[in-house]
Amino acid sequence: MKLLSTGNPKLMKGEKLGYLSFVLHLAPADLSGKEVCPKRTAGCTAACLNTAGRGGMFKTGETTNAIQQARIRKTKMFFENREQFLKDLVADVKLGIKQAEKKNMVPCFRLNGTSDLAWEKYEIEEGKNIFQMFPEVQFYDYTKVRNRKVAHINNYHLTFSKADGNDMDVRLAASAGMNVAAVFKEIPATYIGRPVINGDDTDLRFLDPKGVIVGLKAKGKAKKDTTGFVI
């Protein structure tokens, strides 16, 4: 099964900087019957970008489409046939690297496009996880799980995500040296005493300076947020 895609408009912004980004979109929250976002909140669940773009285009009277069904199939495969899923993931990463090389671009991979799984925990071959399988390749994600043990993984960059009700985790993550992504109605110059950069320019979070807040403009359903998810 093909797992990774490149059609995300925001990811494509990185191409002007020479990066070809690949993303894995699973069915978020528990839409597949299995939870893939362990620290999700009411606000982020309601504002999830799962239905952004083509993922949210439904025929009249329908509540699903081919993209949503594919994400559910991928998620079920992850839980029901993980060995094959991880083999397919390795194959897709190898293919992505080749595609980037042909375009003379740098490949990078985001495995939690619409999930928050701890990929460092899943062994593939000889005790190696996906990051150890491709030590020269850059991986990155956003996460709401503050204490993931990834500091030793040089090719994996995590940005902490602020949501409604996780203010203490935000401060602890920032104190631990993590950049923090936050969604704003209007992006300010500073937040919690830190400079705010525009996170909508590209999705290449591993290029961000340290010690910043990654400001993201409220989009789609988030524009109507009343939970405190949007600042």
Side-chain angles (χ1 to χ4, degrees):
M1 179 186 293
K2 183 172 175 55
L3 301 175
L4 302 177
S5 61
T6 58
N8 184 307
K10 186 177 178 182
L11 267 65
M12 292 172 68
K13 291 181 179 181
E15 293 183 13
K16 63 185 178 183
L17 298 178
Y19 290 88
L20 186 60
S21 299
F22 298 84
V23 63
L24 171 62
H25 283 296
L26 298 179
D30 57 357
L31 292 181
S32 69
K34 298 288 187 178
E35 182 63 69
V36 298
C37 304
K39 290 285 187 175
R40 66 185 171 99
T41 63
C44 76
T45 302
C48 184
L49 294 176
N50 178 51
T51 54
R54 290 181 299 169
M57 295 180 183
F58 306 109
K59 293 181 180 179
T60 303
E62 295 185 359
T63 58
T64 188
N65 57 34
I67 292 175
Q68 295 298 328
Q69 291 168 358
R71 291 176 183 178
I72 289 174
R73 284 197 301 272
K74 292 176 186 178
T75 311
K76 287 184 175 180
M77 182 182 180
F78 173 80
F79 286 100
E80 297 170 4
N81 191 357
R82 187 164 299 165
E83 182 177 359
Q84 185 61 52
F85 182 99
L86 293 173
K87 285 182 179 179
D88 288 354
L89 180 59
V90 167
D92 265 17
V93 171
K94 288 180 178 178
L95 180 60
I97 293 171
K98 289 181 179 179
Q99 290 175 347
E101 288 176 347
K102 287 181 179 179
K103 296 184 177 182
N104 197 30
M105 300 178 76
V106 179
C108 54
F109 298 85
R110 181 178 165 193
L111 302 183
N112 281 324
T114 39
S115 57
D116 197 357
L117 296 173
W119 293 99
E120 63 274 12
K121 294 181 178 180
Y122 305 115
E123 296 181 358
I124 300 174
E125 290 181 10
E126 300 177 349
K128 294 181 179 180
N129 59 39
I130 190 67
F131 313 120
Q132 294 166 323
M133 293 287 292
F134 300 94
E136 304 301 319
V137 175
Q138 181 69 59
F139 294 83
Y140 70 104
D141 275 318
Y142 298 83
T143 186
K144 290 183 180 67
V145 183
R146 179 180 54 80
N147 57 351
R148 288 174 61 183
K149 309 300 182 184
V150 299
H152 63 292
I153 305 177
N154 295 327
N155 61 329
Y156 189 39
H157 183 278
L158 279 180
T159 299
F160 191 78
S161 290
K162 185 193 180 308
D164 44 307
N166 71 347
D167 291 39
M168 181 56 71
D169 278 346
V170 165
R171 294 186 178 277
L172 290 172
S175 296
M178 295 182 75
N179 287 348
V180 176
V183 182
F184 298 92
K185 290 182 180 178
E186 296 295 336
I187 297 178
T190 63
Y191 180 70
I192 61 170
R194 292 193 169 206
V196 179
I197 65 170
N198 190 336
D200 289 323
D201 286 343
T202 77
D203 196 53
L204 304 175
R205 299 278 69 85
F206 53 91
L207 297 181
D208 294 339
K210 294 183 178 180
V212 300
I213 301 299
V214 179
L216 304 169
K217 193 77 178 289
K219 306 172 190 66
K221 296 178 181 178
K223 292 180 179 180
K224 299 180 180 180
D225 174 73
T226 58
T227 67
F229 174 72
V230 176
I231 302 166

